[in-house]
Structures are given as C-alpha cells and as structure tokens.
Amino acid sequence: KEQPCFLSEDRIPDWVATIPNWATISVLHTDDQRELLELFKNEKDSKRKDAESAKRVLPRIINRDLVDIQEQSSRQVVISPINTSVRNFEQAKEFLKWLWLVWNDSRFDDTVRNRINFVVPTMDGGLCPAKDAFMGESYGNRQGSEIFKSIGAEYKELADVFESHTGESSNEILQDLGVLKYPKLHKVEKKEIRMYASSPESRFVEYVLQRHPLPSDLDAPNWYYMLLYSIENIEQFLGKLETKQIIRWIFSDSELRNAIENDVQPKDFCLEYRLYCGKQNRRHNNEWQLPSYVRYLFSNIRWLGSGGDRYSPSELLMTNNNNLNDFGLKCISESDIDDYADGVCDKEELRRLLILL
C-alpha cells in the first residue's frame, strides 16, 4: 500500500467519477464495498457497533498493512493527494479543469483553502504554487498583470485554462485556490530590527514611538521582532510602477485602499522588545490602534512624480503657490492632481487620499 483507498459515496458526484487517470489515488465504489463487507461478514457482525455505518466498519476490520481504506470524510482528503500528484504542465491544466467541477458542485470551505497549497499551470509551460501565480489579461486583469510584470520573474502568469468559462466565476475559483489578482496583504515577520537603522521597519518603529502614545514600557531601546501586515516586494512595486499605475492600483484594490485609509494594524499585530534591564516583552496590538505599516510605506516611499523626479506624499506640500519651490519646499498643485486623476479616478478622491498620506 502506498496511497490510501477512499470509500465512495452512495451517489458518486461527477467530480469523483472524473478524477484524472494519472492521479495517485484510488476510490472504492459502492458495489465493491458491499462485496468486501460480505467477505468480512463475521468480523463485521462481531465488531460493528450499533447504528455504525458500513463505511465506518470497513476501515476498521481490514488490515491497514494490506490497504489503507479511509472514509471520504471531506473533499480536502481527496483533493490533497491529487494535487501532490501533479508533475507537469498538461497535468496541471487537467487538474485545474477538474477542480472546476469540484468547486461548481460546492464552493471550497476554509479547510480546503487553507490546508492545500494548490499547483497551477503557468504561461511559460511550467507550473508553480497558486500563491506565486497571478491572473493575466486573459482573465480580465490587465491592471493587476501590469503590476506583477513590473518586477520581472518574481511571479508567474497563470496559463489560460478556462477557454469556455470567462467572467467572474472563473476568477472566483482562482482566488479560492490562492491565485493573485493584485499583490496580497499578508502577515510578514521582521526580525533583528535595529533602532535608528535605515530599513523601513526600523524607521516605522521610530515613527510609532514619536507620534503614537504607547504604554511607557514600549519606549524600549531594542525592538527585535515584529509581526505586521504588508505586501511582499512592495518597495520594488512602488519603485518601478508609474505614478498613474500606482494610483489606479490603489483605487482598484479595495483591500489595499482600506489598509491605507483606515491606518490601523490588525489586532494580531505583534512585537517583541527588550528593555534596558534586559527583560523581554511581547505585546499584541489589541486596543493600541497602532498605525498601518502599509500606509506608512505609501506615505514615505517616493512614487509620486515623473522621470527622475519622484517624491513621497509625506514630503509634499499641497499648494498652488509655485514660488515656494524657490525656498526648497517640494509642492504638488491642483493641476498636478488633475493630471494624475485624469482617466484613472475621481479628482476629489485622489485629493483626499494624498491629504491622508
């Protein structure tokens, strides 16, 4: 026995009947279950508990050294071994089409979404984890595609699989699998943080201590660990995308926009620090209302402007008085805002966003 053998349901769903031939998984159908139960009739009668289903009896009475028979207790236990069976591009395409049948029968629950690291086919003829793939223009995601392609080969474009299934439904299943539409906010660990260093997380600590009242013991010399929410490669994205692309991204991606506008770290934000006496403490955000790391980055990274003249929103003064430039002040005018908003978003909404930043 190398792989488990699953007991099928009385009514075999289409997605079970159409499991790809190359998948290293076996399903014991109902008729075969009855025959096995008849063969082991004596043991069944002696071991079966009152009201216990035949599917519970069979895995108990057959020697696991011979075959590992398992009840099909959830879709996750069936999908997972098929996912690990995928070895090449063609299998990945067939697997994704098969998953469409599974998903159409019943949407994936949190167990399936969180416990299976799905494999998907990519445009270059290979395969990769779904969390490292993005939907391209063939899935109606031109904006997101431009963002991911701006930093090169860090992410893979998903192959065009659902030729006859366009629109929101195909996008929904892909997002359930973990395929990205936009760069995703997720938990990020920052270790060995050095105060007064040049790294973004070190500057963020200084920003927090200077502007936000905290319990006195947090005014510590060493914050050596933080668990916060950010976007992987965010500095590369903001450094390589054009200003209008970034603005369009903010106004298209509701998750990102909320993180910027709300300016609060989620409650499970965590930090560890060491006091002058050497004592180590760990604190969670809870009721502190600590500021959003994502807003901090968008406020302090230089992404506004054109050509070589790019500025961070926090260093710009919003005014129509161009003479202030002569005094070394960096300014952004209403005319600049008009240009940035043109064809991208509402001017007043952009104006309010820049004021927040």
Side-chain angles (χ1 to χ4, degrees):
K1 87 179 171 64
E2 294 183 358
Q3 298 291 336
C5 181
F6 294 97
L7 302 174
S8 72
E9 302 171 4
D10 293 334
R11 181 191 68 81
I12 301 176
D14 289 342
W15 62 270
V16 173
T18 57
I19 289 174
N21 294 329
W22 45 261
T24 52
I25 184 173
S26 299
V27 178
L28 189 65
H29 295 295
T30 307
D31 291 342
D32 297 322
Q33 292 175 41
R34 291 196 191 98
E35 290 186 22
L36 276 174
L37 282 169
E38 191 62 29
L39 287 172
F40 289 88
K41 184 176 186 302
N42 293 333
E43 289 192 59
K44 177 190 74 171
D45 293 340
S46 63
K47 293 189 175 184
R48 183 173 178 179
K49 300 175 183 177
D50 291 342
E52 186 178 28
S53 71
K55 288 186 173 59
R56 298 285 173 89
V57 176
L58 204 52
R60 290 196 299 109
I61 64 178
I62 293 183
N63 191 336
R64 280 183 177 265
D65 292 332
L66 175 65
V67 59
D68 181 10
I69 293 182
Q70 295 185 16
E71 182 182 4
Q72 186 184 307
S73 56
S74 71
R75 290 183 300 166
Q76 181 249 328
V77 299
V78 176
I79 296 171
S80 185
I82 300 174
N83 181 64
T84 56
S85 302
V86 177
R87 292 290 181 268
N88 56 53
F89 176 77
E90 291 302 326
Q91 289 181 354
K93 286 183 68 175
E94 188 178 356
F95 177 53
L96 197 48
K97 290 178 180 178
W98 176 78
L99 284 173
W100 175 272
L101 291 177
V102 184
W103 186 83
N104 268 330
D105 183 69
S106 178
R107 302 297 194 257
F108 295 152
D109 57 20
D110 287 341
T111 301
V112 174
R113 286 194 295 265
N114 297 331
R115 292 188 180 181
I116 302 177
N117 186 15
F118 287 99
V119 174
V120 295
T122 55
M123 277 293 197
D124 59 4
L127 51 139
C128 75
K131 62 183 178 61
D132 296 330
F134 65 90
M135 290 177 265
E137 290 190 45
S138 60
Y139 293 94
N141 188 36
R142 180 179 179 182
Q143 167 66 14
S145 179
E146 290 177 352
I147 294 170
F148 286 111
K149 288 179 179 178
S150 70
I151 63 169
E154 293 285 339
Y155 300 89
K156 300 288 187 178
E157 184 175 356
L158 181 70
D160 189 4
V161 175
F162 300 118
E163 297 89 350
S164 60
H165 303 289
T166 57
E168 289 301 316
S169 293
S170 59
N171 287 1
E172 283 180 39
I173 179 178
L174 292 174
Q175 290 183 74
D176 268 1
L177 299 180
V179 179
L180 301 169
K181 185 174 183 180
Y182 297 107
K184 189 172 180 61
L185 281 163
H186 60 96
K187 293 179 183 179
V188 176
E189 291 184 322
K190 299 290 185 180
K191 299 180 180 180
E192 301 300 327
I193 300 168
R194 303 298 179 192
M195 288 295 289
Y196 311 113
S198 59
S199 66
E201 56 269 21
S202 297
R203 295 196 297 269
F204 177 65
V205 170
E206 294 176 42
Y207 169 80
V208 170
L209 293 177
Q210 291 170 3
R211 304 193 181 198
H212 294 265
L214 298 170
S216 58
D217 62 348
L218 293 186
D219 188 12
N222 294 302
W223 290 28
Y224 58 92
Y225 172 88
M226 279 198 299
L227 175 66
L228 43 77
Y229 281 74
S230 186
I231 295 173
E232 193 172 356
N233 301 308
I234 182 62
E235 291 177 277
Q236 291 186 59
F237 285 128
L238 294 183
K240 294 188 176 182
L241 289 169
E242 297 295 329
T243 295
K244 279 199 169 187
Q245 288 179 305
I246 295 171
I247 294 171
R248 187 179 288 111
W249 174 19
I250 295 171
F251 283 94
S252 300
D253 185 353
S254 58
E255 184 182 43
L256 173 59
R257 187 173 177 182
N258 286 336
I260 293 173
E261 292 183 346
N262 292 335
D263 194 27
V264 177
Q265 280 287 351
K267 289 186 177 180
D268 53 354
F269 167 92
C270 169
L271 60 88
E272 293 180 5
Y273 55 94
R274 189 176 290 107
L275 299 176
Y276 289 98
C277 64
K279 180 182 177 182
Q280 296 182 5
N281 279 355
R282 169 178 276 243
R283 293 283 182 139
H284 292 270
N285 198 9
N286 293 332
E287 299 176 357
W288 297 351
Q289 299 293 296
L290 290 182
S292 162
Y293 184 61
V294 173
R295 183 200 272 197
Y296 173 81
L297 293 176
F298 272 82
S299 177
N300 290 278
I301 292 176
R302 294 182 173 181
W303 59 269
L304 267 172
S306 59
D309 299 323
R310 287 166 73 101
Y311 305 98
S312 65
S314 62
E315 65 182 334
L316 291 174
L317 179 66
M318 192 174 293
T319 177
N320 287 321
N321 186 352
N322 294 328
N323 293 328
L324 294 176
N325 289 313
D326 297 335
F327 295 93
L329 297 174
K330 302 178 180 68
C331 304
I332 183 171
S333 67
E334 292 293 333
S335 176
D336 294 327
I337 295 174
D338 284 341
D339 290 341
Y340 292 140
D342 186 35
V344 176
C345 64
D346 179 76
K347 173 191 171 182
E348 287 306 313
E349 288 189 359
L350 177 58
R351 189 174 186 277
R352 285 194 293 270
L353 176 74
L354 293 177
I355 290 172
L356 284 177
L357 294 174

